[in-house]
Amino acid sequence: NAGVTQTPKFQVLKTGQSMTLQCAQDMNHNSMYWYRQDPGMGLRLIYYSASEGTTDKGEVPNGYNVSRLNKREFSLRLESAAPSQTSVYFCASSEQQGLSYEQYFGPGTRLTVT
Amino acid sequence: DQQVKQNSPSLSVQEGRISILNCDYTNSMFDYFLWYKKYPAEGPTFLISISSIKDKNEDGRFTVFLNKSAKHLSLHIVPSQPGDSAVYFCAASEISSGSARQLTFGSGTQLTVLP
């Protein structure tokens, strides 16, 4: 039971290049999320998927697209990377249980855009 | 405009003593609160949560207190251990009709437990 996995762990891009960050969870959770974390700040929500087949914008969606490939996988795509997208990206998943809404996070992808 | 604030960027505590981490929020629609612990180069790890219908939740050495009138919550760690040294994030979620909950995070507090 690996929980939430993310690939790659590290990536360096040049401005204008594109890439896709991959995320998979094996906990059979319905909801999945993408966050970014910048130095000295908390995590900010980019996009989320409440269930397979649905996606919604979070707080900072500009410059990103997402795909909920199936119940397990949720990818984040940068079409034309910019230096402002240099950040650590975290994927998370959750399943509501009663009043509990805990999200479980992957190890992160550290992205540098030069 | 930060809806969740952790005003102390850092906190140092002696091993065996109590650690108290604080968090304030402004959005009265928040009804669920969580604390996460994060070590360097790892993802955040869920620690403890509390629903707005409660004012206290306890799990082993960790207790979270919620004061809705003051829009304030705190995490108590007793006794503190060197392995507790990490960044602690407070997060909040507001009422939603769906099963997915958007979390709003504070900026974190670096806790250092001194041996």
Side-chain angles (χ1 to χ4, degrees):
Chain A
N1 190 343
V4 180
T5 56
Q6 294 183 235
T7 55
K9 285 187 166 47
F10 301 95
Q11 185 72 47
V12 179
L13 291 178
K14 290 186 176 1
T15 297
Q17 288 185 319
S18 62
M19 79 161 295
T20 300
L21 283 66
Q22 307 286 356
C23 173
Q25 52 92 10
D26 62 2
M27 296 175 282
N28 202 35
H29 287 171
N30 273 307
S31 302
M32 298 185 73
Y33 312 80
W34 276 105
Y35 292 86
R36 61 178 287 174
Q37 186 193 10
D38 300 305
M41 298 181 70
L43 284 72
R44 291 182 294 168
L45 183 65
I46 304 171
Y47 269 94
Y48 67 100
S49 171
S51 59
E52 190 178 351
T54 69
T55 60
D56 284 289
K57 294 178 181 179
E59 180 186 354
V60 288
N62 291 346
Y64 306 95
N65 285 302
V66 291
S67 295
R68 183 73 183 267
L69 304 169
N70 48 55
K71 190 172 185 179
R72 288 188 64 247
E73 298 171 289
F74 189 37
S75 63
L76 178 72
R77 182 158 178 85
L78 287 71
E79 290 290 353
S80 178
S84 60
Q85 294 178 305
T86 293
S87 189
V88 182
Y89 291 84
F90 293 102
C91 176
S93 70
S94 72
E95 186 69 30
Q96 180 185 352
Q97 293 186 354
L99 291 178
S100 299
Y101 299 90
E102 293 91 63
Q103 294 182 14
Y104 296 90
F105 286 82
T109 294
R110 187 173 296 272
L111 175 68
T112 301
V113 183
T114 61
Chain B
D1 180 29
Q2 276 191 292
Q3 298 186 72
V4 178
K5 295 181 184 179
Q6 293 177 258
N7 292 318
S8 298
S10 62
L11 174 68
S12 290
V13 170
Q14 211 66 37
E15 181 179 4
R17 306 295 290 268
I18 183 171
S19 295
I20 300 176
L21 295 95
N22 294 303
C23 179
D24 297 296
Y25 63 95
T26 57
N27 187 344
S28 57
M29 296 299 288
F30 287 148
D31 70 336
Y32 191 72
F33 304 87
L34 310 89
W35 285 94
Y36 283 86
K37 179 169 75 172
K38 187 179 180 306
Y39 293 118
E42 293 185 11
T45 302
F46 170 72
L47 206 51
I48 192 169
S49 62
I50 188 167
S51 165
S52 61
I53 63 173
K54 297 184 176 181
D55 53 20
K56 176 182 172 182
N57 189 26
E58 194 171 351
D59 184 1
R61 295 187 298 115
F62 303 93
T63 303
V64 56
F65 295 92
L66 175 62
N67 182 334
K68 289 186 287 294
S69 60
K71 293 192 176 65
H72 177 84
L73 66 156
S74 61
L75 174 68
H76 293 209
I77 306 174
V78 183
S80 301
Q81 300 172 354
D84 295 331
S85 297
V87 177
Y88 288 77
F89 289 100
C90 168
S93 169
E94 65 178 80
I95 298 166
S96 167
S97 59
S99 59
R101 286 289 197 113
Q102 300 184 49
L103 295 184
T104 301
F105 282 82
S107 54
T109 296
Q110 171 71 57
L111 174 65
T112 303
V113 180
L114 305 167

